[in-house]
Amino acid sequence: MTTTPLTHIVGAGLIGASIGIGLSAEGWRVTISDADPETELLARSIGAGGAPDRNEPDLVIVATPPGVTPDVVSNALNTWPNAVVVDVASVKAPIAEVAARSGQGHRYVGSHPMAGREISGAMAAQGDLFRARPWVICPGIASAKAVAMVRSVADALLCDVVEMDAEAHDRAVARVSHAPQAAASAVAAALGPLVENDIALAGQGLRDVTRIAASHPAMWADIARLNKRSLVETLDHIVAELDAVRKADDIGAAMTALIDRGRREVARIPGKHGGAKREWEAVTVIVPDRPGHLVRLLSDAAAVGVNVEDLSIEHSPRQPVGLTTLWVLPQSASELVEALEKGGWVVAGS
Amino acid sequence: MTTTPLTHIVGAGLIGASIGIGLSAEGWRVTISDADPETELLARSIGAGGAPDRNEPDLVIVATPPGVTPDVVSNALNTWPNAVVVDVASVKAPIAEVAARSGQGHRYVGSHPMAGREISGAMAAQGDLFRARPWVICPGIASAKAVAMVRSVADALLCDVVEMDAEAHDRAVARVSHAPQAAASAVAAALGPLVENDIALAGQGLRDVTRIAASHPAMWADIARLNKRSLVETLDHIVAELDAVRKADDIGAAMTALIDRGRREVARIPGKHGGAKREWEAVTVIVPDRPGHLVRLLSDAAAVGVNVEDLSIEHSPRQPVGLTTLWVLPQSASELVEALEKGGWVVAGS
């Protein structure tokens, strides 16, 4: 086995600490620091790495908030003239430009591990946080040696490495993440005029659309500033789609056309293992909301060897039952319905 | 027990046939008809009701596509001068106006059973389709006798009756359903410029936001036309929220402000039994994607008496493991994490 690089992590939040725990568990020599002494101590106490020492690291992983990442990256390139520097911010082009301007671009690799949804802080850190998740690497003008070193980090954490151009990455995340966040928040904000009794009419559809609207605004200011061009471009596109409906002479035809355009694109979103979700079939069952019932339902499904690809629970606002939808392969659907009805379940639709 | 009204259902699609099956199962005398003879025969074959006969019905339930519902309602009021007429379209004010103009408004009750997500057609019909779901009733100028008769339908189907003003209903569904559908479709449509490799960066957030974008456009043209005023009003609101970001001098501050507005409103969306979802805590576990694992996970949760309030599965595009998040009451979270880790589960965050 090849020797692993002496690694220093700058920033001990969820991402930095999780990388530290994961690499340390793999036997890497890791040190970790954070602007906040308490966070740094906490990260060390949970095995994210040791105290910074005098040895120059071979690899510096910058896991600071996106807003300060460009400065931290160029400082790191200056502080450690022989180290490879990689950052994990969710916007890549502006940071690559700073690294290039420093004249040290061959030692800088941009990266973006896609993880950490709905959880944050060192306390939530886990070495497995990134396992099986995409880890984008933007080589830019980095040397092959530098890229290989960053790949070895992603490999050690069992990530799914995806190489991309930095601008392409930023355009992509604007459309798959940044603008959808703004749209979900806008749909939620538009609930303002409704009284509680009106909002009680909300179904699973609204809950799905607005789920990410509940996420904390932390970091979004930085992300929006760093990815402003692509974000605005995408918001312009989304608004143009909505204008086509709200300004149409025949709003019915316009709505149908918009939904048709949306269906074509949503079918391209990979479901599990790259398979599009539309390839699954929904089996909806009425489940009393008491501990154990969901278990019984899934046991009955597993008993006939049906694998549940996905599962969603739809709640009734006031009554103690829920509609649970099991997403299964089409060839399994009828078999599942039969088995569940034999088992006494009320199948509301499939 | 009081005698149930002789009931005739016009329209044998998912909603009409499901009402017919449910009422017939409760011992009601039900006849059902459909413009399409095959659909009508199918509905009868699955127990949705008998063939129309010479008896004048006490109650006529109009379950036709929304676009033709106003005409069908006024025809029904003329054809059966003593019957109570109720419709189930998802827009209410325009139909109430037509009924009022006919001078027979005291015999008309608007209603909207909230069900049928992602499934359609008589084949999917089930008597339990509406159980525990909200059924909105808009009495308008209807007589107490007429309203009581419609309530008896909702009661027979074990629905959660909600009385509302028709205009309030239409304003509400525009914001909780119609405009969110347009927004989800617009976010999906904005994926157009991305190549497959870019879309592979999509996470669960985008999947949640765009899930309803996969729904069939059927009926949306009618709904948009009938509810045009409220739909446009809501789209204007959503676009104004997006304008505040894309046209801001400081896009970072604007994004934070939008997310803050959204969080305030999304917290008002009832989760289970009227409880807001934010009252729950997320426990995220790495689950190998093989039959039975989800069962084991939920069994281990049930074993320590923890009730799973909601559950979401996040898939990795290319690898055979998924992140499963269990939503539980805050006081149960730590106990659950402890139990799961004892059980050998990898908890990625809580």
Side-chain angles (χ1 to χ4, degrees), chain A residues 209-295:
Chain A
V209 173
T210 57
R211 175 166 293 161
I212 57 174
S215 59
H216 289 270
M219 287 210 313
W220 277 111
D222 287 351
I223 290 171
R225 286 183 190 115
L226 287 169
N227 203 22
K228 177 170 185 171
R229 198 175 65 248
S230 293
L231 175 56
V232 170
E233 193 178 279
T234 310
L235 291 177
D236 290 345
H237 188 156
I238 291 171
V239 169
E241 296 285 355
L242 297 177
D243 285 346
V245 171
R246 68 189 181 125
K247 296 177 177 174
D249 297 328
D250 180 351
I251 193 170
M255 185 77 170
T256 304
L258 170 59
I259 292 176
D260 278 332
R261 284 195 298 280
R263 290 188 80 213
R264 267 199 305 280
E265 300 306 328
V266 83
R268 297 168 63 214
I269 301 174
K272 219 163 165 185
H273 322 324
K277 184 155 208 163
R278 54 168 179 176
E279 291 164 12
W280 307 339
E281 217 163 279
V283 175
T284 300
V285 184
I286 295 178
V287 179
D289 168 39
R290 289 193 293 275
H293 275 76
L294 206 48
V295 180

Side-chain angles (χ1 to χ4, degrees), chain A residues 175 190 194 246 268 273-274 317, chain B residues 175 190 194 236 268 273-274 317:
Chain A
R175 287 173 189 267
L194 300 183
R246 68 189 181 125
R268 297 168 63 214
H273 322 324
Chain B
R175 287 173 189 266
L194 300 183
D236 290 345
R268 298 170 63 215
H273 322 324

Side-chain angles (χ1 to χ4, degrees), chain B residues 143-157:
Chain B
S143 68
K145 164 179 167 286
V147 175
M149 195 178 282
V150 172
R151 269 188 167 273
S152 69
V153 172
D155 292 343
L157 300 176

Side-chain angles (χ1 to χ4, degrees), chain A residues 45-285:
Chain A
S45 70
I46 59 176
D53 52 38
R54 281 197 181 61
N55 307 317
E56 174 169 357
D58 306 306
L59 174 66
V60 176
I61 300 175
V62 176
T64 53
V68 299
T69 299
D71 290 346
V72 177
V73 163
S74 61
N75 291 342
L77 287 168
N78 297 332
T79 310
W80 297 289
N82 303 306
V84 168
V85 176
V86 58
D87 79 299
V88 297
S90 47
V91 182
K92 303 263 60 81
I95 302 168
E97 285 156 24
V98 168
R101 275 202 301 277
S102 74
Q104 297 296 308
H106 59 288
R107 291 194 289 121
Y108 166 77
V109 179
S111 90
H112 180 200
M114 320 284 274
R117 184 173 66 96
E118 280 166 346
I119 47 184
S120 69
M123 274 315 289
Q126 298 283 345
D128 296 273
L129 185 64
F130 309 103
R131 179 181 293 177
R133 304 297 308 277
W135 190 314
V136 177
I137 292 180
C138 305
I141 57 174
S143 69
K145 165 180 167 286
V147 175
M149 196 178 281
V150 173
R151 269 189 167 275
S152 70
V153 172
D155 292 343
L157 300 175
L158 303 178
C159 295
D160 176 17
V161 174
V162 183
E163 273 203 23
M164 287 181 78
D165 165 74
E167 284 73 16
H169 166 274
D170 292 356
R171 280 193 303 271
V173 290
R175 287 173 189 267
V176 304
S177 170
H178 305 168
Q181 173 68 54
S185 295
V187 168
L191 297 174
L194 300 183
V195 298
E196 308 309 319
N197 194 34
D198 296 340
I199 293 186
L201 298 184
Q204 192 57 31
L206 181 70
R207 292 197 189 88
D208 289 340
V209 173
T210 57
R211 175 166 293 161
I212 57 174
S215 59
H216 289 270
M219 287 210 313
W220 277 111
D222 287 351
I223 290 171
R225 286 183 190 115
L226 287 169
N227 203 22
K228 177 170 185 171
R229 198 175 65 248
S230 293
L231 175 56
V232 170
E233 193 178 279
T234 310
L235 291 177
D236 290 345
H237 188 156
I238 291 171
V239 169
E241 296 285 355
L242 297 177
D243 285 346
V245 171
R246 68 189 181 125
K247 296 177 177 174
D249 297 328
D250 180 351
I251 193 170
M255 185 77 170
T256 304
L258 170 59
I259 292 176
D260 278 332
R261 284 195 298 280
R263 290 188 80 213
R264 267 199 305 280
E265 300 306 328
V266 83
R268 297 168 63 214
I269 301 174
K272 219 163 165 185
H273 322 324
K277 184 155 208 163
R278 54 168 179 176
E279 291 164 12
W280 307 339
E281 217 163 279
V283 175
T284 300
V285 184

Side-chain angles (χ1 to χ4, degrees), chain B residues 39-335:
Chain B
T39 304
E40 181 171 321
L41 278 173
L42 172 61
R44 272 186 222 143
S45 70
I46 58 176
D53 53 36
R54 281 199 180 62
N55 306 318
E56 173 168 358
D58 307 306
L59 174 66
V60 176
I61 300 174
V62 176
T64 54
V68 299
T69 299
D71 290 347
V72 177
V73 163
S74 61
N75 290 343
L77 287 167
N78 296 332
T79 310
W80 296 289
N82 303 306
V84 168
V85 175
V86 59
D87 79 299
V88 297
S90 46
V91 182
K92 302 265 60 84
I95 302 169
E97 283 157 25
V98 168
R101 275 201 303 275
S102 74
Q104 299 295 308
H106 60 286
R107 291 195 289 124
Y108 166 77
V109 179
S111 89
H112 180 200
M114 321 285 272
R117 184 174 62 98
E118 281 165 345
I119 45 181
S120 70
M123 273 315 289
Q126 298 283 345
D128 291 289
L129 185 65
F130 309 102
R131 180 181 293 177
R133 304 296 309 277
W135 189 313
V136 177
I137 292 181
C138 305
I141 58 173
S143 68
K145 164 179 167 286
V147 175
M149 195 178 282
V150 172
R151 269 188 167 273
S152 69
V153 172
D155 292 343
L157 300 176
L158 303 177
C159 295
D160 177 16
V161 174
V162 183
E163 274 202 23
M164 288 181 79
D165 165 74
E167 285 72 20
H169 166 275
D170 293 355
R171 280 193 302 271
V173 289
R175 287 173 189 266
V176 303
S177 169
H178 305 167
Q181 172 68 55
S185 295
V187 168
L191 298 173
L194 300 183
V195 297
E196 308 308 320
N197 195 35
D198 296 339
I199 293 186
L201 298 185
Q204 192 57 32
L206 182 70
R207 292 199 188 87
D208 289 342
V209 172
T210 58
R211 174 165 294 162
I212 57 174
S215 58
H216 290 268
M219 288 208 315
W220 277 110
D222 288 352
I223 291 171
R225 287 185 190 116
L226 286 169
N227 203 22
K228 178 170 184 170
R229 197 176 64 248
S230 294
L231 175 56
V232 169
E233 193 177 279
T234 310
L235 291 177
D236 290 345
H237 189 155
I238 291 171
V239 169
E241 296 285 355
L242 297 177
D243 285 347
V245 172
R246 67 188 180 125
K247 297 177 176 173
D249 297 328
D250 180 351
I251 194 169
M255 185 77 169
T256 303
L258 170 59
I259 292 175
D260 278 332
R261 281 195 299 278
R263 290 187 80 213
R264 267 198 307 278
E265 299 306 329
V266 83
R268 298 170 63 215
I269 300 175
K272 218 161 165 188
H273 322 324
K277 185 157 207 159
R278 59 172 173 172
E279 292 166 10
W280 307 340
E281 216 163 279
V283 175
T284 300
V285 185
I286 294 177
V287 181
D289 168 38
R290 290 194 293 276
H293 275 76
L294 206 49
V295 180
R296 277 216 301 117
L297 177 64
L298 291 166
S299 305
D300 292 358
V304 288
V306 172
N307 189 25
V308 175
E309 302 291 332
D310 200 353
L311 181 151
S312 65
I313 302 174
E314 178 164 357
H315 303 302
S316 126
R318 297 180 191 72
Q319 297 192 27
V321 309
L323 290 176
T324 295
T325 298
L326 307 180
W327 296 88
V328 300
L329 295 174
Q331 57 267 34
S332 312
S334 55
E335 177 191 15

